[in-house]
C-alpha cells in the first residue's frame, strides 16, 4: 500500500470535552513494523516530527463527519480527530481505513463500540433482524415512530442501524413535511410526538443526520418541532426569536456565500444546544458529543475564513475608526469584533496566537484607543470586552503598544491605559461591574510577575518607569483630591491612614531596593512618624500597624532604610520605650557602622603596611651604597698601587657601559642595549676571602630593581685585573658565586618594581 500524504490538523478531546489542536501536518497510511499493522502517520509540516502514529485496529469504530473529519477513540477517555483541508484527502484515507477493516466506504461509521454480551445477542438473531424497518411516514404512525426512536437509544448498534435507515430513505425531510401539516391542522398530539422524534434523532449523535437537519431548508423546521415540548402548557417561540429578535446583520457585506451560510448555521445550532435542548442527564451526556464537535469545527472554519480575508478585516477597521461613521454603525462593528474574538476562544493556543497577531497587525489597539474614548456606553462596554481578550492573550503586546504612545501623543489623557483608569474611576454602574473588570485588566498589566518574558528582560523596568511617569498621577488623582488641605476631614479618618500604611508596608515587604530608594528620596517616612507621634500613647490599630512596619525593617535588616530612619528621625523616636523596636533599629545601625569602621581600619592598615615595605626597600638600597664605599676605602689604604690600577681600568669600563644603561621608555619601563658581550653583575659586595671577585660597579640609584632581571655574568672580565688572581680556580669561583647568590637574604633579593 503506497503512502498518501494529505494536509490535516490533529485534534484530541480533553477532559472538558473540548478539542485540543495538536498541530498541522501531512497524513499517510503505511505498514509500521513495530506496530505490526497498517497505521495512520501524521508528520508536522514545520519540522517533520511525528504528531500521530495510530494503528488501524480491526475493532476500532471510525466515523467520517462533515466530509472532512475522521473521528475515533483509542482508549476509554482518548478521542482523536483528523480534520482534512480537502475532501478528497479525507475520502482517500477513509477508504484505506475501511479496506483494513473490511468495511463498505459508503458508510459513515465502520462500527460502534458495543459490549460483548450485546454483540453475541445480535449474532444469535436471524440476519433480517439486524435491519431496522421504519414505519410509513404518516400522521397516524407518528406515535409508533416516536416509540421506535426512543427504544434504540440504549443500543449503540441499533442507533447506527436506525441512522442508516433514516438517511437512506430521506426520512428526515418527510418527518419535517408532517410537522408543517400538523401545525396547519393545529394537531397538538402529533406535534408532541414530533418533538420526541426530533429530540431522539439528535441523540443518535450522527454527523450525517446533522448535516441534513441543520441545512438551510430544514433547520427552522427542526427548531419548530422542538418548540412543542409535551411538558409545557404553551409552546416556546424559538423561531420568532431566531428570525426577528436575533436577525443577522452584515456590518460589512460578506462576499463569500459559504462563509455567510456557515455563520447562520453555527449560530442556530449553538442556540439549539444551549437554549432549546434540556440539560442532558448522566445517561444522555455523551449523546450530543458529535453536536459539540460540529459546532467547534464550524467556529474554527469561520475564524479561519475571516482571518484569511484581509480585505474584509481592513474595511472593518477603516469604518470602525472613521469619524464619519454613524454611531449605530460603529456599535454594530464593535459588537461584530466582540463576537469574532469570542469565537477565537475555541481555538487552540497556536491558532489563537495567529488570530490575535493578525488583529494586532491590522491595528486593533489603536482602534480600541479611539472607541474606548467615545461617549456611547454600549460601544465602550464592547470595546472593554475586546480589550480583555487582548490582555488575556498577551499582556506584553499591550504594554509594548502603550509605551510607544507618548511618542505620538502630546496629551497624557488620551493614552489607552489612562482611558482604562478613567473609565474604572468614573464607572456609572451602581454595582461597579465595569470598574471591577477594568481593575482586573489594569492589575494584570502592572503585575511584575508576568513581566518575566525571556525575550524582553528589560520589560519590567521600562514599563513600570513608564507607568509611574505617565499614569500614576491619573490613578492617584481621586485619592489626592480626597486628602487635600481643604478637606482635612478625610485626613483624620484612621481607616484611610491605616489603608495608606498597609500599602506602604506591602511595598517595603517586596524588599526591592528600587522602591526603597524611591521611599528615601521622597522622605516618605516623615508622615508615618508624625502619625505615630500624633497618636501618642493610644494603643490602637494605627499604632500597632506602624510598630509592625518598623519591626519588619529591623528583623529583615533592611540596611538602607535603617540608616535613613536613624540618621533622620531617631531623636524623635528615642523617647519611645514601651517597645524595643527603635532601640533595636539603633543597635542594627551601630553594628553596621562598626562593621564599616573595621573594614576601613583594615584597609588603612594594609595601605600603611605597603608604604612601610616600600620605605624599607629604599633604605636597604642606601645601606648597600654605604657598604660599598667603606670597602673601597679600606682597599685603597691597604693596596695603594694596585688600587690605582684597578680604578683606572674601572673608569674605562664605566665609560663603555654608560651606553648600555637602561633607558626609560614613555610607558615608564626600561629598555636595554648592549655594545659588548659582557653582562652587568647584580649582587651586593661581600667581605669574604675573595672581596675583589665579588665587587661590582654600583647600579644607578633607583634602577637596580629593573637591572636585577638581567642574567649574572662572571666577575673577572677582559681588561680587568683582580687583586689576587688564581687562574686555575675559575670554575671554583663560579660555583662559589652561585652559592653566594643563593644565600642572599630575602630583603636583598631583587624586587619586581620600585
Amino acid at each position: 500500500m503506497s503512502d498518501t500524504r494529505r494536509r490535516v490538523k490533529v485534534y484530541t478531546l480533553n477532559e472538558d470535552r473540548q478539542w485540543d489542536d495538536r498541530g498541522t501536518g501531512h497524513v499517510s497510511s503505511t505498514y509500521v513494523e513495530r506496530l505490526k499493522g497498517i497505521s495512520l502517520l501524521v508528520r508536522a509540516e514545520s519540522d517533520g516530527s511525528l504528531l500521530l502514529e495510530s494503528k488501524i485496529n480491526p475493532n476500532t469504530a471510525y466515523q467520517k463527519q462533515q466530509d472532512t473529519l475522521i473521528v475515533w477513540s483509542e482508549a476509554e477517555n482518548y478521542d482523536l480527530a483528523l480534520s482534512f483541508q480537502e475532501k478528497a484527502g479525507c475520502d482517500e484515507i477513509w477508504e484505506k481505513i475501511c479496506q483494513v477493516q473490511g468495511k463498505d466506504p459508503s458508510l459513515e461509521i465502520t462500527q460502534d463500540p458495543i459490549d460483548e454480551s450485546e454483540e453475541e445477542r445480535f449474532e444469535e438473531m436471524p440476519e433480517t433482524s439486524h435491519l431496522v424497518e421504519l414505519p410509513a411516514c404518516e400522521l397516524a404512525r407518528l406515535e409508533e415512530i416516536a416509540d421506535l426512536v426512543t427504544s434504540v437509544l440504549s443500543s449503540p448498534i441499533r442507533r447506527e442501524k436506525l441512522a442508516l435507515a433514516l438517511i437512506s430513505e430521506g426520512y428526515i425531510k418527510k418527518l419535517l413535511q408532517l410537522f408543517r401539516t400538523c401545525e396547519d391542522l393545529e394537531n397538538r398530539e402529533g406535534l408532541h410526538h414530533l418533538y420526541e422524534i426530533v429530540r431522539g434523532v439528535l441523540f443518535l449523535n450522527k454527523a450525517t443526520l446533522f448535516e441534513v437537519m441543520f441545512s438551510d431548508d430544514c433547520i427552522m423546521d427542526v427548531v419548530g418541532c422542538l418548540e412543542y415540548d409535551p411538558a409545557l402548557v404553551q409552546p416556546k417561540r424559538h423561531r420568532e426569536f431566531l428570525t426577528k429578535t436575533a436577525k443577522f446583520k452584515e456590518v460589512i457585506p460578506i462576499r463569500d456565500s459559504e462563509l455567510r451560510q456557515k455563520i447562520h448555521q453555527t449560530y442556530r445550532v449553538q442556540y439549539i444546544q444551549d437554549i432549546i435542548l434540556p440539560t442532558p442527564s448522566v445517561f444522555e451526556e455523551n449523546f450530543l458529543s458529535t453536536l459539540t464537535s460540529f459546532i467547534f469545527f464550524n467556529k474554527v472554519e469561520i475564524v479561519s475564513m475571516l482571518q484569511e480575508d484581509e480585505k474584509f478585516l481592513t474595511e472593518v477597521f477603516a469604518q470602525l475608526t472613521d469619524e464619519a461613521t454613524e454611531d449605530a454603525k460603529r456599535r454594530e462593528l464593535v459588537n461584530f469584533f466582540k463576537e469574532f474574538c469570542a469565537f477565537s476562544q475555541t481555538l487552540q493556543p497556536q491558532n489563537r496566537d495567529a488570530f490575535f497577531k493578525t488583529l494586532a497587525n491590522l491595528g486593533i489597539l489603536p482602534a480600541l484607543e479611539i472607541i474606548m474614548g467615545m461617549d456611547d456606553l454600549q460601544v465602550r462596554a464592547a470595546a472593554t470586552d475586546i480589550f480583555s481578550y487582548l490582555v488575556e492573550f498577551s499582556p506584553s503586546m499591550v504594554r509594548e503598544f502603550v509605551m510607544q504612545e507618548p511618542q505620538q501623543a502630546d496629551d497624557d489623557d488620551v493614552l489607552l491605559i489612562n482611558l482604562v483608569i478613567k473609565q474604572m474611576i468614573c464607572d456609572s454602574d451602581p454595582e461597579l461591574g465595569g470598574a471591577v473588570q477594568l481593575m482586573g485588566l489594569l492589575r494584570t498589566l502592572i503585575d511584575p510577575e508576568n513581566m518575566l518574558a525571556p525575550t524582553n528582560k528589560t520589560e519590567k523596568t521600562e514599563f513600570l518607569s513608564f507607568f509611574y511617569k505617565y499614569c500614576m498621577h491619573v490613578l492617584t488623582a481621586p485619592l489626592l483630591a480626597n486628602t487635600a488641605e481643604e478637606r482635612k476631614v478625610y485626613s483624620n479618618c484612621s481607616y484611610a491612614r491605616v489603608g495608606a500604611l498597609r500599602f506602604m508596608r506591602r511595598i517595603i515587604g517586596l524588599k526591592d531596593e528600587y522602591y526603597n530608594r524611591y521611599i528615601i528620596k521622597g522622605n516618605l517616612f516623615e508622615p508615618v512618624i508624625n502619625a505615630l507621634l500624633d497618636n501618642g500613647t493610644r494603643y490602637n490599630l494605627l499604632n500597632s500597624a506602624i510598630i509592625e512596619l518598623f519591626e519588619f525593617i529591623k528583623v529583615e535588616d533592611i540596611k538602607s532604610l535603617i540608616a535613613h530612619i536613624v540618621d533622620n528621625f531617631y531623636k524623635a523616636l528615642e523617647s519611645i520605650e514601651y517597645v524595643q523596636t527603635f532601640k533595636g533599629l539603633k543597635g542594627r545601625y551601630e553594628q553596621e557602622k562598626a562593621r564599616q569602621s573595621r573594614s576601613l581600619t583594615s584597609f588603612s592598615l594594609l595601605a600603611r603596611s605597603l608604604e612601610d615595605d616600600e620605605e624599607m626597600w629604599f633604605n636597604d638600597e642606601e645601606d648597600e651604597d654605604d657598604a660599598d664605599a667603606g670597602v673601597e676605602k679600606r682597599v685603597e689604604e691597604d693596596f695603594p698601587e694596585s688600587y690605582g690600577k684597578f680604578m683606572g681600568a674601572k673608569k674605562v669600563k664605566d665609560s663603555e657601559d654608560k651606553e648600555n644603561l637602561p633607558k626609560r621608555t614613555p610607558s615608564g619601563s626600561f629598555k636595554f642595549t648592549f655594545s659588548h658581550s659582557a653582562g652587568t653583575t647584580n649582587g651586593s659586595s661581600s667581605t669574604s676571602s675573595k672581596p675583589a671577585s665579588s665587587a661590582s660597579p654600583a647600579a644607578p640609584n633607583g634602577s637596580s630593581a629593573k637591572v636585577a632581571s638581567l642574567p649574572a655574568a662572571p666577575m673577572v672580565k677582559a681588561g680587568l685585573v683582580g687583586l689576587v688572581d688564581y687562574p686555575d680556580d675559575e670554575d671554583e669561583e663560579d660555583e662559589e658565586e652561585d652559592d653566594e647568590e643563593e644565600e642572599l637574604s630575602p630583603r636583598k633579593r631583587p624586587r619586581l618594581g620600585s
Side-chain angles (χ1 to χ4, degrees), residues 618-632 685 698-702:
F618 282 114
N619 292 337
D620 289 344
E621 292 294 328
E622 292 174 359
D623 292 343
E624 289 180 10
D625 292 342
D626 293 342
D628 290 342
V631 170
E632 289 181 5
S685 56
N701 189 23

Side-chain angles (χ1 to χ4, degrees), residues 313-326:
L313 290 178
T314 302
E315 189 174 350
V316 172
F317 274 107
Q319 291 198 23
L320 190 63
T321 56
D322 188 355
E323 294 181 358
T325 303
E326 296 180 358

Side-chain angles (χ1 to χ4, degrees), residues 512-637:
D512 189 329
E513 281 301 310
Y514 179 86
Y515 291 112
N516 293 343
R517 290 193 298 270
Y518 190 87
I519 290 171
I520 293 170
K521 181 180 178 181
N523 196 25
L524 301 184
F525 275 107
E526 182 176 353
V528 176
I529 292 171
N530 287 338
L532 176 64
L533 297 176
D534 292 342
N535 191 64
T537 58
R538 290 189 294 275
Y539 181 67
N540 52 23
L541 182 60
L542 179 64
N543 176 273
S544 299
I546 295 176
I547 295 298
E548 191 279 334
L549 172 65
F550 287 107
E551 185 68 22
F552 175 82
I553 295 170
K554 183 195 76 172
V555 171
E556 296 297 326
D557 196 17
I558 305 176
K559 294 180 174 57
S560 59
L561 297 183
I562 291 174
H564 173 69
I565 294 166
V566 174
D567 285 339
N568 295 279
F569 306 109
Y570 187 70
K571 288 185 178 180
L573 298 171
E574 63 181 345
S575 61
I576 299 177
E577 296 182 348
Y578 56 87
V579 291
Q580 298 300 308
T581 300
F582 302 106
K583 293 187 183 299
L585 286 172
K586 178 70 170 179
R588 293 275 192 183
Y589 174 81
E590 291 175 346
Q591 288 174 5
E592 178 63 16
K593 294 286 282 186
R595 188 192 66 79
Q596 293 178 3
S597 178
R598 287 194 299 272
S599 300
L600 183 61
T601 301
S602 299
F603 179 79
S604 300
L605 290 174
L606 178 61
R608 185 176 301 171
S609 176
L610 294 174
E611 291 176 359
D612 291 345
D613 287 349
E614 193 74 14
E615 185 176 352
M616 185 181 298
W617 181 78
F618 282 114
N619 292 337
D620 289 344
E621 292 294 328
E622 292 174 359
D623 292 343
E624 289 180 10
D625 292 342
D626 293 342
D628 290 342
V631 170
E632 289 181 5
K633 184 176 182 181
R634 288 194 300 274
V635 171
E636 181 181 4
E637 291 174 352

